[in-house]
Structures are given as structure tokens and as C-alpha cells.
Amino acid sequence: MKIDIITLFPDFFNGFKEHSIIGRAIKNGKLELVTHNLRNQAKDNYGSVDDHPYGGGPGMVLRFDILLNALNEVKAKLKSESPSSYKVILMTPQGQVYKQTIAQKLAREENLILICGHYEGFDERIRDYVDMEISIGDYVLTGGELAAMVITDSIARLLPGVLGDDTSSHEESHSPSTSSGSARLLEYPQYTRPLEYDAKKVPEILTGGNHAKIDEWRKEQSIERTKMRRPDMISDKNI
Ligand code: SAM
């Protein structure tokens, strides 16, 4: 998958692109991440990309012509690579709230173009050129870069071959796990060595070697945990 990110701050992505699972996914060719500097679209020598809002008010707004030219440039390059599908997504606190189900849908696309706002946001007219608007939660960030990283990270780990074991992304919170009959629940508790520390022991069932019993215990734990922590996730359909 290729993800193009239109941003005023491409350097924000440097560490993100280099480390851990995302770094490896890029090195192994499972993910291509290209940043496009919005500043390159500036028409003056000052690199201006924003202006005061019409009608007055605080802050600066990213200009429509600058955003659209950047988007068209990315699209033109993509066209020459002829992807079978792509989606343009605007990062905004006014968008659809991001969830694992959206990550799973987006992971099936061949290309994504993510547009990061900054300052007070962007000129409203750019909304007519995007397929989706995503918010990563009901709070306001200074820019869309963190949101773009959240989306990229959550999608990348769903791509085949990115995690050491592809089933890791099945048996976890918010994913339809096979052990719980495709329900979306929180994951069961996990333990590792030492077996006992500070008088806290690992549940005996996990060390007994009976895998059918372990599966059953985990399923129960998942349901109980979800009921306690996220009752909003529980429905008849979900358990
Ligand atoms: N004035 C805008 C409003 O009230 O809707 C907020 C602008 S915010 C300070 C600047 C940029 O950060 C936004 O254009 C968007 O790209 C990004 N951003 C802020 N919060 C976000 C969120 N929760 N999810 C996704 N992007 C967000």
C-alpha cells in the first residue's frame, strides 16, 4: 500500500518512518509512505500558504488554491502509477470518529492520500475534493500530522506480512476475533515471565497446557472485561 501525506511539516514523519514496525514495513516494501510539503505550493517568496479568514476571527486558514494544487499534483503522480483504487481523506476534528472498522476498510485500498490541516484549519472548499473526513477523537490537535500517523499506523499493522504473525491483528481488542465468534471485544489479559513476582501470580489455567480450557477462559475474560470497561461495545450481536 502507498500512503501520500500532504502536510506543512513533513519532518514530523521522520522518526515515525524509521522505527519499529512501520520502519520495517517500509524497508520490506509492504508500505510506501510519501510526504508532500504544502509549502512547495506557495506562490510568493515568503512561502505563504495561509491567510486570514474572510469575515474576521482568530488564526490563519490554509488556502484553498494551495491545498487543491497540492492534491492535484499528488493525484497526477498517482495516475501515472495507475492504482486500482485510492481514497482522499481529510484530517479534521469534524470528521467521522476513527475506529478499527474504518482501519480495516481502508487497509483494502491500494493508495490513500491524507491531508493534514494546521492553524485554524483549511478553507471549506477543499471538502468538495475529498472522499472522507476523519477525526481521531473528540479533541482538537494543533495539526493533522498526529492524526495521519495514527491512521497510517493502525492500517499498516493490518497489511499482510507487516506483523511477525498476521493473526496478531485478529485476536486483539476491537477486532472480530475467531475465538469469540467474530465479536468485537477487548482482548483478554496477557501474562509473561516471571510466573510470580511481588506476590502476584499468573493464573494457573494459562500454565496447565490445556488449550481448549485456555481458549474458553480467554473468551470469558474478554466478555467480562468488555462488559466492565466498555459496556457500549456489548450488544446481543457482539457476544
Ligand atoms: N478550527 C478547527 C475546528 O474547530 O474544527 C480546528 C483546527 S485544528 C487547530 C488544526 C488541524 O488539526 C485541523 O485542520 C486538522 O487537520 C487537525 N486536527 C485537529 N484535531 C483533530 C482531530 N481530532 N482529528 C483529526 N485531525 C485533527
Side-chain angles (χ1 to χ4, degrees):
M1 169 183 262
K2 181 179 180 200
I3 302 186
D4 287 284
I5 300 178
I6 299 175
T7 167
L8 259 182
F9 298 98
D11 288 352
F12 271 22
F13 294 87
N14 290 349
F16 178 66
K17 285 202 277 194
E18 282 159 22
H19 298 290
S20 185
I21 293 171
I22 300 298
R24 241 184 357 254
I26 292 173
K27 264 193 208 113
N28 297 340
K30 310 279 181 206
L31 174 70
E32 193 181 346
L33 196 60
V34 185
T35 50
H36 304 269
N37 193 341
L38 210 43
R39 195 78 67 189
N40 294 344
Q41 302 297 334
K43 296 177 169 107
D44 60 19
N45 294 333
Y46 307 104
S48 320
V49 291
D50 54 351
D51 215 326
H52 299 279
Y54 280 119
M60 301 294 271
V61 175
L62 290 175
R63 283 168 45 158
F64 173 51
D65 55 341
I66 299 281
L67 287 163
L68 186 59
N69 291 344
L71 179 59
N72 284 341
E73 213 172 272
V74 175
K75 278 184 174 175
K77 173 87 174 48
L78 262 191
K79 236 181 211 160
S80 68
E81 295 162 5
S82 46
S84 60
S85 65
Y86 72 86
K87 281 217 165 4
V88 181
I89 308 173
L90 195 62
M91 307 294 105
T92 164
Q94 302 179 20
Q96 190 180 352
V97 177
Y98 196 56
K99 280 181 165 210
Q100 188 70 11
T101 45
I102 304 178
Q104 282 162 337
K105 252 187 225 149
L106 295 179
R108 294 197 280 271
E109 298 288 332
E110 206 178 318
N111 278 86
L112 297 176
I113 303 175
L114 309 184
I115 305 177
C116 305
H118 223 88
Y119 311 123
E120 269 307 302
F122 31 74
D123 186 293
E124 184 70 14
R125 289 167 285 184
I126 196 62
R127 291 203 141 98
D128 293 340
Y129 299 79
V130 308
D131 300 302
M132 267 179 103
E133 299 186 17
I134 290 182
S135 161
I136 59 161
D138 290 341
Y139 42 80
V140 178
L141 303 164
T142 55
E145 287 72 19
L146 285 172
M149 284 187 235
V150 166
I151 291 168
T152 303
D153 188 295
S154 59
I155 290 172
R157 64 197 304 287
L158 297 176
L159 302 177
V162 166
L163 297 181
D165 175 352
D166 280 341
T167 60
S168 310
S169 64
H170 304 168
E171 298 289 331
E172 64 187 353
S173 302
H174 304 290
S175 298
S177 85
T178 40
S179 68
S180 54
S182 291
R184 288 179 189 273
L185 299 170
L186 299 181
E187 195 181 57
Y188 47 79
Q190 301 267 27
Y191 298 86
T192 186
R193 289 191 301 169
L195 201 54
E196 185 175 347
Y197 192 70
D198 204 25
K200 296 208 177 288
K201 290 183 184 165
V202 173
E204 247 169 56
I205 191 147
L206 296 177
T207 56
N210 184 334
H211 288 284
K213 280 211 157 124
I214 292 174
D215 285 349
E216 202 181 311
W217 180 85
R218 285 179 164 167
K219 185 180 169 186
E220 281 165 15
Q221 291 287 319
S222 256
I223 294 171
E224 279 319 300
R225 180 161 278 225
T226 312
K227 278 185 184 161
M228 290 276 292
R229 295 175 182 218
R230 290 291 305 274
D232 59 299
M233 285 171 65
I234 297 281
S235 66
D236 293 346
K237 200 169 85 247
N238 211 21
I239 44 172

